[in-house]
Amino acid sequence: VGTVSGTGISFGTPASVQTSVSRGSYVCFDSNAGKFAIIYAKSSTIKAKVATISGTSVSFGSEASVDSESMQTSVGATVFDPDQNAIIFARMGSSNHGRISAGAISGTSISWGSTVEYSTDYIENNLSFDLTYDTSANKTILIYKRQINSSSGDIYYRIVTTSGTSISLSTQTVFFVSTNNSAFPRCCYSPAANKTFFSYVQNSNVQTVVGTLSGSTFSFGTTKNNIAGGNANNLNHRRY
């Protein structure tokens, strides 16, 4: 745990969440509970624990199962739904299918609902999906790229509705047709503008567009070519 003071930061003693993590770990803050969810791959399953902060010390609750199916890669995306007090976690499962789950923190424990597949088709790679939360609509936005063949694929979005730890998905809708490999689609909601900013890579150029959500459908402005002629690969998952 780090404490920021001015332009410096000081750290407490490191604490071990799990000693046998097989793939990456993911952190999501529950602003209602004031606690963190730590999600990690363990052997052939996905597990989670609640982290409680006191000063610069951290303690962990008991381990809970997120999904009995293993992750294909070491990358996942998380977002907190404050309306339903739910941690939303998206990732790639077996056969590169897209999977998404919702968990709820109670005290130092976390419980998870049934996992839903957001795509039964091949998701391109571990950086080909993202999540953001629309605080006006109280909905989670999911964007992802399905692979068509070895050189192209389409980007889709779905609106995620959470009820407790249950998830329902809108019909998948095409966002952009037939991008090149490694599109790295990203999304980020702006509460001030009440709009969602989208970006993706096309022919090594970063394309951006602003979307306005109505119900489960987006309307989009004009697409901009923001970074041209360079290597725009590996757009990172961002969190604000």
Side-chain angles (χ1 to χ4, degrees):
V1 177
T3 302
V4 176
S5 178
T7 58
I9 184 169
S10 58
F11 293 95
T13 303
S16 177
V17 181
Q18 174 57 237
T19 58
S20 57
V21 174
S22 58
R23 282 186 172 162
S25 60
Y26 321 92
V27 179
C28 188
F29 181 64
D30 181 332
S31 56
N32 292 339
K35 298 178 186 292
F36 294 86
I38 314 294
I39 306 166
Y40 51 91
K42 180 182 177 183
S43 300
S44 59
T45 61
I46 303 172
K47 303 292 186 181
K49 288 182 180 180
V50 174
T52 303
I53 307 300
S54 177
T56 57
S57 298
V58 57
S59 58
F60 301 101
S62 57
E63 186 176 74
S65 178
V66 180
D67 194 351
S68 59
E69 184 174 306
S70 64
M71 292 178 62
Q72 279 297 93
T73 69
S74 59
V75 177
T78 62
V79 72
F80 178 61
D81 177 344
D83 182 62
Q84 292 294 313
N85 297 322
I87 306 289
I88 313 298
F89 177 53
R91 69 274 182 195
M92 280 168 48
S94 63
S95 302
N96 282 49
H97 291 181
R99 294 172 72 81
I100 188 168
S101 307
I105 291 175
S106 177
T108 59
S109 300
I110 186 167
S111 58
W112 294 84
S114 299
T115 292
V116 175
E117 284 197 336
Y118 63 82
S119 177
T120 56
D121 293 315
Y122 191 94
I123 301 298
E124 183 186 43
N125 59 42
N126 61 353
L127 293 173
S128 291
F129 56 92
D130 199 15
L131 296 171
T132 192
Y133 185 75
D134 184 325
T135 55
S136 177
N138 290 327
K139 304 286 185 184
T140 297
I141 298 156
L142 167 67
I143 189 169
Y144 56 97
K145 181 186 174 187
R146 294 167 56 194
Q147 190 75 7
I148 294 175
N149 53 48
S150 60
S151 61
S152 66
D154 296 341
I155 300 175
Y156 293 81
Y157 71 82
R158 300 184 87 156
I159 306 305
V160 182
T161 301
T162 310
S163 177
T165 58
S166 297
I167 284 176
S168 59
L169 301 171
S170 68
T171 302
Q172 65 179 4
T173 303
V174 175
F175 167 73
F176 187 81
V177 176
S178 193
T179 73
N180 53 243
N181 281 337
S182 304
F184 308 118
R186 296 290 176 264
C187 56
C188 185
Y189 174 74
S190 167
N194 190 24
K195 297 184 185 299
T196 301
F197 181 84
F198 295 88
S199 67
Y200 58 93
V201 175
Q202 174 70 4
N203 298 323
S204 295
N205 301 328
V206 177
Q207 311 285 325
T208 61
V209 66
V210 173
T212 303
L213 182 64
S214 177
S216 59
T217 304
F218 271 103
S219 58
F220 296 100
T222 303
T223 299
K224 301 292 185 180
N225 184 19
N226 291 77
I227 303 175
N231 184 355
N233 290 341
N234 293 313
L235 291 175
N236 290 325
H237 291 289
R238 42 81 312 246
R239 292 294 173 263
Y240 297 109

